[in-house]
Every structure is written in C-alpha cells, then in structure tokens.
Amino acid sequence: MSITFDVGQALVGGAYIGTAMGGLWFGSAKVAGNSGILGTVCKYKWANTDDLLWRLAFLFGLPSACLVMPYIFGLSPFEPTVDNSFGLYAVGGLLVGFGTSLGNGCTSGHGLAGMSR
C-alpha cells in the first residue's frame, strides 16, 4: 500500500479543521484542544451535564468523521495495517498522552488554537 499526498485533500482537510475550531470558539467560547477535552472527561472535572455532553459529542465526532468522510468524497476508506504488536502501540499512546498532559496540551492544538508558545 502506498500513500500519496494530495494538496487538494490537505487544503480541504485544513479548512474543515479550521472551520470546526472557529465554530466551537465563536459559538461557545471553548477551545478545541483534543487532549484537554479528553482529559476533562477522564478526570471527571466537567462543570455540569451540558459540559460533559458537548465534550463526548466532540470526542465521538473525531473517529466518526474519519469513517464517514471517505464515502462523502467517493474515496476508498483507509485500511490500516499493523506491523507491530498492539501492546507497542498502546505503550506509545500512553507515553504521548502523558507528554500532552505534562505539556498542557499538544503542540498542534496550541498552534491551531492560536496559543503558540
């Protein structure tokens, strides 16, 4: 399987991400930081039920969009191949999660939300 880079798809994807982040910011004055949203849900630190519901909807929408968008654009869905063990990926994910928690969010989220350091 070869992966090719398509500038058009990258521009459309970037526009979707920017629109979603801007919509969340202007619609509710909330920052779309994935690690912060997930961390708040996992640590049970939401303010009320409405706060929890929008966070869960956001987190559910991330993988849902990845599953739906290829069909909307008439592309073949991505078929991942796993060359290493699941345990290795799990440890890597936990290390990345710890690093984003330690750094108060990921660098891509800071850059997209305009909070570069």
Side-chain angles (χ1 to χ4, degrees):
M1 174 174 84
S2 67
I3 298 175
T4 59
F5 177 75
D6 183 356
V7 174
Q9 289 178 352
L11 289 172
V12 169
Y16 276 128
I17 292 170
T19 301
M21 292 191 77
L24 185 61
W25 174 254
F26 289 114
S28 64
K30 303 208 183 288
V31 176
N34 296 340
S35 57
I37 292 170
L38 179 62
T40 300
V41 170
C42 291
K43 293 176 185 173
Y44 303 106
K45 291 191 174 187
W46 56 84
N48 53 43
T49 305
D50 290 339
D51 188 43
L52 173 63
L53 290 177
W54 82 263
R55 290 173 190 279
L56 290 175
F58 183 91
L59 293 171
F60 177 75
L62 292 171
S64 299
C66 294
L67 297 173
V68 172
M69 293 307 279
Y71 296 105
I72 291 174
F73 287 108
L75 304 171
S76 62
F78 177 69
E79 297 175 11
T81 57
V82 178
D83 295 333
N84 295 314
S85 69
F86 177 78
L88 184 62
Y89 287 113
V91 169
L94 290 172
L95 288 172
V96 169
F98 176 73
T100 57
S101 177
L102 186 65
N104 293 322
C106 63
T107 54
S108 62
H110 287 152
L112 289 169
M115 298 184 300
S116 304
R117 294 183 188 180

